[in-house]
Amino acid sequence: MKITFAEFVKGIRGTDEITGDPRPQVAFVGRSNVGKSSLINALTGKKGLARASDKPGKTSEINYFDINHKFYLVDLPGYGFASTSLADRDKFRKLIVWYLSESGAKPICIALIIDAVAGLTKFDEDMLTVLKGESHPHIIVINKIDKLTQRDLHARVSGVRAAVGDVPVLLCSTKEGTGIQELNEYIFTE
Ligand code: GDP
């Protein structure tokens, strides 16, 4: 889908009517620093979009973006960042789990973004367990593939595929623009 409109709508921290809005939602989740904001900006072609919601406090909210007045792109808080306190990490995880389990949202797809160099961390595996438990359709996006040699990338992809079974795995580099179009076509199906 060609994205011609992408705007921040609102950030939520709990119950809000937007979670039940009939417009289809596509959600992005991943560890902090995995390149989630860069990916959202690359997908929408708007450099500051995800960062626009990066004001103090905003990163701890669930941010909704309007895409072409047809979809919501839902940016879930980054989890597991080493420099955030344990209490904050727990808070972010709870908010993500609330969205997935209790908010009433029925995302058509959740993209779990992982780092090509780090691979599937224990935080990612925890999130996968939650996604599977809630039966939400999901995919894995391996980002920062430009950081690996072809050989290491091949090994990484095989390892991830073996670990996740039949979950689709897409490859991206926001730095080089690789895989962005494929991701767009996968998640924004009209
Ligand atoms: P977020 O915390 O997940 O939203 O991550 P950001 O989008 O802020 O990116 C974190 C860091 O990773 C930044 O320094 C980005 O420039 C860098 N980054 C993001 N995507 C890529 C990529 O595909 N390749 C490389 N090499 N770096 C990336």
Side-chain angles (χ1 to χ4, degrees):
M1 180 180 81
K2 185 171 165 45
I3 296 177
T4 51
F5 181 90
E7 289 286 343
F8 175 68
V9 180
K10 62 160 104 171
I12 65 169
R13 289 167 191 258
T15 309
D16 191 290
E17 77 278 359
I18 201 165
T19 59
D21 191 301
R23 187 186 295 189
Q25 304 183 17
V26 174
F28 280 46
V29 66
R31 277 193 318 136
S32 295
N33 219 38
V34 78
K36 190 158 52 64
S37 309
S38 307
L39 204 52
I40 292 172
N41 295 341
L43 259 179
T44 55
K46 274 190 117 172
K47 254 194 163 163
L49 187 66
R51 210 140 295 167
S53 58
D54 227 21
K55 303 173 211 116
K58 282 289 180 185
T59 48
S60 58
E61 299 189 333
I62 296 173
N63 291 308
Y64 273 73
F65 299 93
D66 177 347
I67 307 295
N68 284 3
H69 308 299
K70 279 200 172 126
F71 291 90
Y72 286 122
L73 195 162
V74 183
D75 185 14
L76 295 167
Y79 55 85
F81 193 52
S83 74
T84 46
S85 68
L86 272 180
D88 270 351
R89 280 197 236 175
D90 193 45
K91 201 170 75 190
F92 295 169
R93 184 184 183 281
K94 277 204 177 111
L95 191 55
I96 296 168
V97 172
W98 167 81
Y99 173 80
L100 298 173
S101 315
E102 293 165 43
S103 69
K106 295 198 171 35
I108 55 166
C109 181
I110 298 172
L112 172 63
I113 323 296
I114 71 166
D115 183 306
V117 178
L120 270 179
T121 66
K122 64 180 194 319
F123 296 107
D124 301 321
E125 281 169 358
D126 167 47
M127 207 38 69
L128 265 177
T129 307
V130 177
L131 290 172
K132 285 211 165 80
E134 295 298 328
S135 306
H136 289 306
H138 58 282
I139 59 171
I140 308 273
V141 177
I142 305 182
N143 187 36
K144 307 196 187 182
I145 60 166
D146 58 279
K147 286 189 158 185
L148 295 183
T149 61
Q150 277 304 318
R151 187 196 168 100
D152 289 346
L153 178 60
H154 186 75
R156 171 63 73 218
V157 175
S158 306
V160 170
R161 287 219 161 100
V164 303
D166 55 7
V167 178
V169 177
L170 303 189
L171 310 183
C172 278
S173 162
T174 59
K175 192 176 170 195
E176 295 184 340
T178 326
I180 305 299
Q181 187 56 32
E182 289 81 355
L183 178 62
N184 174 323
E185 283 163 18
Y186 194 96
I187 60 179
F188 296 123
T189 42
E190 292 179 88

